[in-house]
Amino acid sequence: GVYVEELPSGVRTITGVATSVTAFIGPARQGPTDRAVLVQSFSDFARQFGGLWIKSVMGHMVQQFFLNGGSEALIIRVVSESAVPATADISGLKLVAASAGDWMNGDADKGIQVRIDHDTNPASTDETLFNITIENKVPNRGTLQLEKFRNLSTQPESSRFVTDVLKEQSSFVRIRAEGDDSGVPDAQRPDEADAPFSGGANGEAPTYADYQATTDNPDRGLQTLDKVDIFNLLCIAPKTADESVAEDPAGLSLLSSALKYCEDERAVLIVDPPESWDRPAKVIADAEGIRSGLRNKNAVIYYPAIRMPDPLKENRLRSFPPSGMMAGIMARTDSQRGVWKAPAGIDAVLSGVQELTYKLSDSENGSLNPLGVNCLRNFRTYG
């Protein structure tokens, strides 16, 4: 007998929104190429995109992002049009890797394998049931099970039809259909067998044209961010590990397109310094071109590059672009202090950095700031 009437209040609560979701675009060893994938830790990135890769610095950039306070990243993997996925034919089943590249290649002694066995549900009346196990044979470590799918069927009307289960649940493989051939033996139970994947190739290094969608291929590159709810920061990794995006005319064209995209999406493009900026005089000489194309309320450029130990090269010091690290510092500042606090000053400590590629003085810092160049500094007291 008690009734509650809710009356509208004149107070309107401001709903918080994300301010530091960072999109990374560049080459990776594995992973989807047709969408932006959300990851919330570096281990999540490693699981889906292969972690650090000697042919690209995007993995290092993502690692630096999370190391410095980042919490949410959107990953857009770029591949060359000549990249192809690995395949395996086993007992009539035609399997293909979930994404292009050589990451699934193996042989009888090492690498990714597929195994079929018949240890299925004894109570089932479906005589086509079988199991698929995806394994990785690692020298000196044995065989690591990556995925296992039980009680699969070659009957299309079955709820465990192999094509549907692999498409919906596997991170590694799909059924390879060629023309009218479904890739599945017609209502037959595949024999027990083992087979390696092979034939996967990374192809040529991607070009900066591969970083954007085309009419023929709309589900790739930067424009896949159209399908996400929000992103705030954008970092672009170079197409190879030993260059910078701003050093290449095609890369500068990409940065201009990305800046226009960020303006439309109310996001910020973080630009890495060209490799030729080895001293402040070179920065000043080039600044007019950079300023005319990239000095914008939706862009920020940092100098110099950072030097950190590279686990892929015996932890020797190596130069890296600072954009991933600075995106992490922006995220950390937003969460710990608030969006009104600039991600700068002695609180903006660069975690994991051994040194900078150039040690700026106060006067050099003062000459670069008016040009729109944000300076990374090393101080005796603060580090």
Side-chain angles (χ1 to χ4, degrees):
V2 177
Y3 297 88
V4 177
E5 180 182 3
E6 294 187 3
L7 301 177
S9 169
V11 177
R12 294 290 182 267
T13 302
I14 297 175
T15 303
V17 297
T19 60
S20 307
V21 178
T22 303
F24 291 87
I25 179 170
R29 188 166 187 266
Q30 65 186 67
T33 59
D34 56 354
R35 63 186 184 277
V37 179
L38 177 67
V39 298
Q40 295 180 307
S41 66
F42 182 70
S43 60
D44 195 4
F45 173 84
R47 184 167 53 253
Q48 299 192 62
F49 292 93
L52 302 181
W53 191 31
I54 200 167
K55 295 184 179 181
S56 172
V57 295
M58 184 168 74
H60 297 82
M61 293 166 63
V62 174
Q63 184 184 51
Q64 293 158 13
F65 170 74
F66 287 112
L67 179 65
N68 282 270
S71 59
E72 291 185 295
L74 292 163
I75 309 301
I76 305 168
R77 183 189 176 212
V78 174
V79 297
S80 166
E81 292 186 354
S82 59
V84 294
T87 60
D89 290 348
I90 178 170
S91 300
L93 278 178
K94 298 179 179 179
L95 302 177
V96 60
S99 59
D102 62 4
W103 62 281
M104 283 274 282
N105 287 350
D107 54 38
D109 300 320
K110 64 180 185 300
I112 307 294
Q113 321 275 322
V114 59
R115 178 166 56 85
I116 292 178
D117 68 77
H118 295 163
D119 186 17
T120 57
N121 182 9
S124 176
T125 58
D126 188 348
E127 297 182 353
T128 70
L129 292 185
F130 62 101
N131 303 325
I132 284 182
T133 304
I134 307 299
E135 301 172 330
N136 186 13
K137 289 186 177 180
V138 182
N140 302 321
R141 292 181 59 189
T143 300
L144 308 177
Q145 180 174 304
L146 303 177
E147 292 180 335
K148 188 175 182 69
F149 301 96
R150 294 184 176 276
N151 302 310
L152 302 176
S153 174
T154 56
Q155 300 279 6
E157 63 274 12
S158 171
S159 62
R160 298 290 296 169
F161 183 46
V162 58
T163 299
D164 297 337
V165 172
L166 295 182
K167 180 179 179 180
E168 295 166 2
Q169 300 181 19
S170 177
S171 300
F172 291 91
V173 296
R174 304 286 185 269
I175 293 294
R176 183 172 89 251
E178 298 176 348
D180 297 330
D181 187 353
S182 68
V184 178
D186 187 18
Q188 296 180 9
R189 186 187 205 184
D191 295 331
E192 293 188 338
D194 291 85
F197 281 83
S198 61
N202 297 318
E204 300 175 355
T207 67
Y208 288 119
D210 295 322
Y211 281 58
Q212 300 191 71
T214 63
T215 303
D216 296 333
N217 194 352
D219 293 326
R220 75 169 188 183
L222 188 62
Q223 283 68 29
T224 58
L225 289 171
D226 291 342
K227 300 178 182 179
V228 305
D229 291 334
I230 189 173
F231 79 99
N232 313 106
L233 306 170
L234 175 62
C235 299
I236 301 179
K239 57 186 174 63
T240 64
D242 301 317
E243 64 176 79
S244 61
V245 180
E247 203 77 53
D248 189 313
L252 279 173
S253 177
L254 170 65
L255 289 173
S256 297
S257 299
L259 177 56
K260 177 61 170 63
Y261 188 84
C262 286
E263 287 180 311
D264 295 340
E265 298 297 324
R266 300 168 69 182
V268 173
L269 172 66
I270 305 180
V271 183
D272 291 309
E275 287 187 346
S276 61
W277 285 11
D278 56 354
R279 60 193 186 280
K282 183 63 175 174
V283 180
I284 294 171
D286 289 353
E288 186 59 39
I290 294 292
R291 178 166 55 181
S292 62
L294 295 172
R295 186 168 183 179
N296 186 284
K297 65 180 181 179
N298 290 78
V300 55
I301 188 165
Y302 287 95
Y303 172 80
I306 57 177
R307 285 175 61 80
M308 300 178 64
D310 186 353
L312 301 181
K313 296 188 175 182
E314 300 177 329
N315 285 317
R316 296 191 299 272
L317 289 184
R318 177 184 171 189
S319 298
F320 292 101
S323 57
M325 175 167 291
M326 298 313 302
I329 290 176
M330 291 180 186
R332 186 178 75 208
T333 304
D334 285 357
S335 62
Q336 294 181 357
R337 296 286 299 275
V339 294
W340 52 86
K341 171 66 175 72
I346 60 176
D347 290 334
V349 177
L350 310 181
S351 298
V353 174
Q354 191 84 8
E355 61 186 23
L356 303 173
T357 56
Y358 186 91
K359 188 173 182 179
L360 289 164
S361 66
D362 287 344
S363 60
E364 289 169 333
N365 192 154
S367 65
L368 296 183
N369 277 160
L371 302 177
V373 178
N374 296 268
C375 297
L376 305 180
R377 298 290 304 277
N378 182 22
F379 295 100
R380 181 177 301 174
T381 305
Y382 301 109

